[in-house]
Amino acid sequence: MSQLAGKAQASDFRRARPIGLEYSGAKPAMLPLLLALMGLLLLLSLALGSAAIPLEQIVTVLLGGEADHASWTNIVLKFRLPKTATAALAGMSLGVSGLLMQTYFRNPLAEPFVLGVSSGASLGVALVVLGSGAVGGALLAGLGLAGDLLLTVAAGAGAALSMILVLLASLRIRSGVTLLLLGLMFGYLVGALVSLLLYFALPERIQAYVNWTFGSFSGVTAAQLPILAAFTLSGLLLSASLVKPLNALLLGEEYARSLGIDLRRTRCAIILATALLVSAVTAFCGPIAFLGIAVPHLCRGLLGSSDHRLLLPGACLTGACVALCAALIAELPGNNLVLPLNVVTALLGAPVVMLVALRHLRGVE
Amino acid sequence: MTLYTRDLSVGYRRRGRPDKVLARALDLRLRPGELVGLLGPNGIGKSTLLRALGGAQPPLAGQVLLGQRDIARLRPQERARRLSLVTTAAPRPRLMSGYALVALGRHPHTDWLGRLTDADHAAIDWALNAVKGDELARQPVAELSDGQRQKLMIARALAQQSDVMLLDEPTAFLDLPRRIEIMALLKQLTRTTRIAILVSTHDLDLALRNCDRLWLMSRAGIKAGAPEDLALDGSLGATFRAEGLRFDPRRGSFTTDAASGARVYAPGESEQAIWLRRALTRAGYELAKKPGRIEISYQQNGVAPNWQLRVNARESRHATIEAALKTLERETR
């Protein structure tokens, strides 16, 4: 009798949640919590800064009104809003692309840059900053903001070019391991070229290059924001269409194929999505290495699931939260010191990921 | 639905060198409700053949047909509805329940989000029940044993509700009881569902006992037939001779060639005589039908030690079979 009751309960549970999460120990309730946390962090990021602006004034500006002081309107719309939005978008992009890479390569160490995007971007930047010679250097220094734009374009071109190369290679190869190796070797190759440029460069140019590698969410203007948003959103949409193949890939490529997944098409779509997500972010914000490897682990730990129908929105929200946190900490209010973004993410994030890994990574292999 | 091959050649294409052909001109047939064992020495190309049959690797020549359709022309999803696969190593995905793992088998039947309908849930429950894995549904896959995970992988393939299931050495990493269980399970599934199952295995004995037909793969090609026919016409023995295995058609099992091969006469039907003959076979001696140069027997009425060994009229007595074998080895070396 009690057995029958249990059975009835189980099937009711099922009807309530038709996607097959039952018995999985998953915690889908974490998603609304993460959403709320992201909302809170967005507000905090808009509210905190070197100038103290009352919260209701900020809300007024966001709703299209004018603040009591014209400078407040200016600060919110020209600085805080782009920076906040950039942090959230970059966090989403890196979190989701990290998830794609870790699932596709079935490797917990994979991250968005394994395919060589950041190497490509850094080569673009290095060519402009280090290799442009005296004329180019004067040009950069003289142009100021336009110089930043030039950097963005160079990084974007480098990133895009490297992703096109990887995509072409992916059409020819049979397995993910080959792709991983190609990406790594490409990274070494480009790294060597960058080192060569650094070796012959003037010290102040090297400083400019190093500044780019620190990463920053503050470099995106309100006018550039739609470009970043377009890349991120299209990458996220493409990723969303891949949840089923990604779930099948948890069993490896051979089983995924036997479950009716078109491996080649899926591989290309995953690389394309990663390219969309990562190249724009790297172009605008520099190589923010850490988020991509950390966020998927945090997200799996929080959601207790490997189902990408949960993980994908989860990685989006977790990524945005972590990036917003890092941006807040990097520019602690009441303090004029601004820490490099990559320093903050790694210093604070690495211990968290270690803890999560120790709790959840047991029994991977 | 029947799986056919028409003039199929399998192997590898190699750049700048001629193709490596592992088997050519195969005309095979796998019928509904049939359990077929694919046997053959290591490296003969069993896995390659299975990959070609499953559409994972293009054949060098010829076709694989499912019903009337060429498998190479089927869209991946259509193929997955007709054909399922189980390989040697069961993956160990973390943060996934047994139920979710079996639910992956519904992929060819669900929408782009993989949402499960009542029919999908019914198929998953049925598949779990068919492998007697109901209690595994709630457990995390990463914490299950190899055998339990392999059972779930078979349930996942069943949930695909395909017409044909291909298994590539599914029991290679499992212990003997689990191997027996899984072969019996496969046999039962062909009876209850009319699914056609092809299983490659190195468990010759289990294959002989459970399979409806065998495909014997050797350099000469594939010879198909009922296990008993293949035993009687010498094909079984011929296939494995190269591997140092000797098929004994009278006992219906294989022995290794490693031994000296001396003939030993060990008569009697007593329990002791049966176990003595097992020990002799295991140690690689051939059993003689008539008294000869070497003879061992168990003396029931005599005083201990009871095992009496005679080699060329030289007699000795031993307390255990082990001791007798040791002396025998020394005497026949």
Side-chain angles (χ1 to χ4, degrees), chain A residues 14 18 22 244 255 258 306 309, chain B residues 87 107 110-111 113-114 116:
Chain A
R14 227 171 262 157
E22 45 276 66
K244 207 167 135 176
Y255 273 123
S258 88
S306 58
R309 290 170 298 184
Chain B
T87 63
H107 262 194
T110 55
D111 64 3
L113 263 178
L116 301 171

Side-chain angles (χ1 to χ4, degrees), chain B residues 242-262:
Chain B
E243 280 216 321
L245 287 179
R246 208 148 39 85
F247 182 69
D248 181 347
R250 299 194 77 85
R251 296 173 62 241
S253 64
F254 285 86
T255 51
T256 50
D257 266 345
S260 65

Side-chain angles (χ1 to χ4, degrees), chain A residues 14 18-20 22-24 240 243-244 248 250-251 254-255 257-260 300 305-306 309 360-361 363-364, chain B residues 56 76 79-80 85-87 94-95 97 99 101 104 107 110-116 121 125 153 156 160:
Chain A
R14 227 171 262 157
I19 62 175
E22 45 276 66
Y23 317 142
S24 66
V243 285
K244 207 167 135 176
L250 291 173
L251 301 181
E254 197 172 7
Y255 273 123
R257 187 198 282 116
S258 88
L259 288 169
R300 273 187 286 258
S305 173
S306 58
R309 290 170 298 184
H360 290 279
L361 268 181
V364 176
Chain B
R79 193 182 63 212
L85 174 78
V86 178
T87 63
R94 66 204 169 93
L95 297 174
S97 68
Y99 194 89
L101 177 67
L104 287 176
H107 262 194
T110 55
D111 64 3
W112 70 277
L113 263 178
R115 274 177 297 201
L116 301 171
H121 284 298
D125 287 339
M153 290 310 283
R156 177 204 52 88
Q160 244 170 291

Side-chain angles (χ1 to χ4, degrees), chain A residues 42-69:
Chain A
L42 282 172
L43 271 184
L44 267 180
S45 170
L46 287 169
L48 298 179
S50 45
I53 307 176
L55 195 60
E56 76 269 10
Q57 293 284 316
I58 291 171
V59 174
T60 310
V61 173
L62 287 180
L63 292 177
E66 278 289 329
D68 294 351
H69 303 278

Side-chain angles (χ1 to χ4, degrees), chain A residues 115-127 158-159 161-162 165 182-198 209 212:
Chain A
L115 295 178
V117 199
S118 64
S119 316
S122 66
L123 182 62
V125 170
L127 279 175
L161 208 64
S162 63
L165 280 178
L182 284 178
L184 278 174
M185 288 305 118
F186 180 73
Y188 279 117
L189 199 74
V190 170
L193 288 178
V194 171
S195 297
L196 196 68
L197 286 170
L198 283 171
Y209 174 78
W212 178 77

